[in-house]
Amino acid sequence: EEFTALCPWTGLPDFGMLKIIYTPSLKCIELKSLKHYLLSYRDVAIVQEHATNQILNDLVSVCQPEQMNVTLDYRIRGGMHTQVAVEYTAKA
């Protein structure tokens, strides 16, 4: 519930709850490394949808899972609620 990135237009922080579900193949993601990676977004100005897609793309490239779902549920700001969900499935 502590994912944070910056709105590229206002510079205000966007807070959200990040959920990652995946089926590993030969590699898995170390929790400490994942935490450091996610904290790197704290000062990044990025559109909410792009952040979710970038996280999925980065994690897929690192661990090459069988399947992965990333959902980022942002807190309401400016009267708008945003939830972005993306998924990846390895080609058979």
Side-chain angles (χ1 to χ4, degrees):
E1 294 187 13
E2 297 178 2
F3 178 82
T4 306
L6 299 177
C7 173
W9 294 283
T10 65
L12 297 172
D14 286 325
F15 298 96
M17 179 173 62
L18 182 67
K19 185 176 182 181
I20 300 168
I21 299 173
Y22 76 106
T23 305
S25 181
L26 299 175
K27 301 176 185 177
C28 64
I29 302 169
E30 178 195 26
L31 186 56
K32 185 175 181 177
S33 297
L34 178 62
K35 287 180 183 180
H36 283 286
Y37 166 72
L38 295 174
L39 284 172
S40 73
Y41 279 89
R42 184 175 161 190
D43 296 320
V44 174
I46 188 167
V47 176
Q48 295 172 343
E49 295 85 355
H50 293 177
T52 310
N53 280 301
Q54 187 63 53
I55 291 167
L56 175 71
N57 292 340
D58 289 346
L59 296 181
V60 165
S61 71
V62 166
C63 72
Q64 301 166 343
E66 295 291 325
Q67 176 275 334
M68 181 176 284
N69 294 319
V70 175
T71 303
L72 195 40
D73 189 356
Y74 287 94
R75 293 185 195 162
I76 294 174
R77 187 162 67 80
M80 298 287 292
H81 175 248
T82 304
Q83 182 176 11
V84 183
V86 292
E87 65 179 58
Y88 164 85
T89 302
K91 295 178 181 173

